[in-house]
Amino acid sequence: MVKKSSHVEQHGPAEHRILASQRHDEILRRLNEDGVAGISEVATFFDVSRETIRRDLKYLAQRGLITLVHGGATKPQLNEPAFGLRSKENAAGKAAIGKVAAALIRSDMVVFLDSGTTTLALAQALSQQEKTPENLTICTTSLRIVLQLCHMQGVRVHILGGEINAIEESTGGIDVLRAAENFRFDLAFLGAGGITPNGEVTDFTRDGAELRSKMAVSATEAWFLADAEKFGRMTPLRVAHFEQAAGIITDRKPEPQFLTALAEKGIKLHIT
């Protein structure tokens, strides 16, 4: 059977745009009604190739209308889920990222650990190493990371003070930015709300975006820690200067469009 996607190419530009618009409307309709739109289901509905629907989803994602997920799309996330819920998502992948990131830490370093479930996995991996780096200074905004590391021998822990965010279990606000100015950082490990198909790191809050932007610039070496679920997730705010970080550590290889976009921006991708 000849696929409709091949047939569409024979139409003129105006008619092709109409057909694409119809697919976009159907994708958005499914999201509004079901909360999800699967690539296979939409491709079957329109009798077109999966690649055609992938292009449609990429187009909608770049405009912030949907969030790409494995096998399809969901509605954009404007608010980050609670810490407890996130900690259960892809725990094995986050543990693998944490182990790789912890191996980068050396004695005598000053290290910033962002708040988040993946940076907590890093702290857990660090505390479980047979030989802990000596004379280590850890700065963090995460209450859980403080509790994880405060009893480790040879490790000084500083919490960057600010207003407590009960949902994130961390400090935040302008006081954190000012406190960070008192330190020089050899390494910074940063969270991310999402990574767009055009290779930009985004966040849910202005406070988070500003802190991560500052660390990407000021640390000698900064890494974003993002498990595979973050690729294609659309969050509201762009993290400025994200491209100045050393790269992104993730647990699985993302789709080719992300690889291309990140490579064009000169961002290294370390896959565990």
Side-chain angles (χ1 to χ4, degrees), residues 159-180:
I159 187 162
L160 303 183
E163 183 179 357
I164 299 295
N165 181 326
I167 295 175
E168 185 63 18
E169 300 183 18
S170 67
T171 57
I174 191 170
D175 291 330
V176 169
L177 293 172
R178 288 175 176 170

Side-chain angles (χ1 to χ4, degrees), residues 117-140:
T117 55
T118 311
T119 47
L120 177 59
L122 188 166
Q124 292 167 340
L126 182 64
S127 66
Q128 293 165 6
Q129 288 180 341
E130 292 185 7
K131 186 176 181 181
T132 304
E134 299 177 353
N135 192 31
L136 191 63
T137 300
I138 299 289
C139 297
T140 185

Side-chain angles (χ1 to χ4, degrees), residues 61-267:
Q62 289 175 336
R63 283 150 184 79
L65 299 175
I66 67 172
T67 292
L68 296 177
V69 296
H70 182 69
T74 62
K75 291 182 178 180
Q77 290 184 262
L78 299 180
N79 297 298
E80 192 164 21
F83 192 98
L85 293 175
R86 301 198 326 267
S87 64
K88 299 175 183 178
E89 298 176 349
N90 192 19
K94 292 174 182 177
I97 293 170
K99 187 174 181 180
V100 168
L104 298 176
I105 299 175
R106 300 286 184 265
S107 296
D108 304 314
M109 280 187 167
V110 180
V111 180
F112 174 74
L113 297 184
D114 202 354
S115 62
T117 55
T118 311
T119 47
L120 177 59
L122 188 166
Q124 292 167 340
L126 182 64
S127 66
Q128 293 165 6
Q129 288 180 341
E130 292 185 7
K131 186 176 181 181
T132 304
E134 299 177 353
N135 192 31
L136 191 63
T137 300
I138 299 289
C139 297
T140 185
T141 57
S142 168
L143 303 181
R144 291 206 188 192
I145 289 176
V146 168
L147 293 175
Q148 182 71 39
L149 299 180
C150 66
H151 296 296
M152 286 184 63
Q153 292 291 329
V155 178
R156 292 186 300 275
V157 181
H158 296 261
I159 187 162
L160 303 183
E163 183 179 357
I164 299 295
N165 181 326
I167 295 175
E168 185 63 18
E169 300 183 18
S170 67
T171 57
I174 191 170
D175 291 330
V176 169
L177 293 172
R178 288 175 176 170
E181 294 175 355
N182 295 322
F183 295 88
R184 59 133 191 111
F185 294 104
D186 299 295
L187 275 175
F189 294 101
L190 311 174
I195 299 171
T196 68
N198 61 347
E200 292 188 331
V201 178
T202 63
D203 212 334
F204 287 95
T205 67
R206 181 177 177 183
D207 285 351
E210 288 189 6
L211 179 60
R212 287 159 183 169
S213 173
K214 179 182 180 66
M215 290 298 173
V217 172
S218 61
T220 302
E221 184 176 312
W223 289 91
F224 285 96
L225 308 185
D227 73 317
E229 302 301 321
K230 297 292 181 70
F231 286 84
R233 180 175 291 173
M234 305 295 291
T235 58
L237 297 167
R238 179 179 181 273
V239 177
H241 312 302
F242 67 91
E243 66 279 359
Q244 294 193 36
I248 299 171
I249 302 176
T250 189
D251 58 317
R252 296 199 305 272
K253 186 177 181 179
E255 293 187 3
Q257 67 193 70
F258 294 98
L259 297 175
T260 301
L262 292 171
E264 289 175 350
K265 290 179 171 58
I267 299 173

Side-chain angles (χ1 to χ4, degrees), residues 8 48 53-54 72 98 125 181 190 227:
V8 168
V48 297
I53 301 304
R54 285 195 182 94
E181 294 175 355
L190 311 174
D227 73 317

